Amino acid sequence: MGDVMRSDFAAARELLECAQNRLCGMDETSQRVSEVLDSLIEEIAIAEFRKAPLTVVPFPRARPKHAR
């Protein structure tokens, strides 16, 4: 098996949002497709922010002040 290709969730979400913005009509088809796109955008956003584990960087403690 070769390299595993990873999905670019951010780019996919951006394209779907662009498509959704083009569906500005008030007709039934435009509204229905916009709702479906909304669901897809939500699923992709969940995958986008779930794919990379968070790294917690410890904040260094303040050094004690020396009496002068």
Side-chain angles (χ1 to χ4, degrees), residues 8-14 16 37-51:
D8 187 345
F9 293 119
R13 183 176 45 81
E14 184 179 341
L16 290 172
L37 285 172
D38 196 46
S39 294
L40 289 172
I41 291 166
E42 185 175 340
E43 288 294 322
I44 287 178
I46 290 168
E48 179 182 356
F49 294 107
R50 185 185 309 154
K51 73 176 183 176

Side-chain angles (χ1 to χ4, degrees), residues 6-46:
R6 296 181 185 229
S7 296
D8 187 345
F9 293 119
R13 183 176 45 81
E14 184 179 341
L15 290 169
L16 290 172
E17 287 172 347
C18 184
Q20 187 179 39
N21 289 335
R22 297 287 183 136
L23 295 169
C24 54
M26 298 306 292
D27 59 285
E28 184 180 333
T29 301
S30 295
Q31 295 297 308
R32 189 173 64 245
V33 172
S34 182
E35 289 173 8
V36 171
L37 285 172
D38 196 46
S39 294
L40 289 172
I41 291 166
E42 185 175 340
E43 288 294 322
I44 287 178
I46 290 168

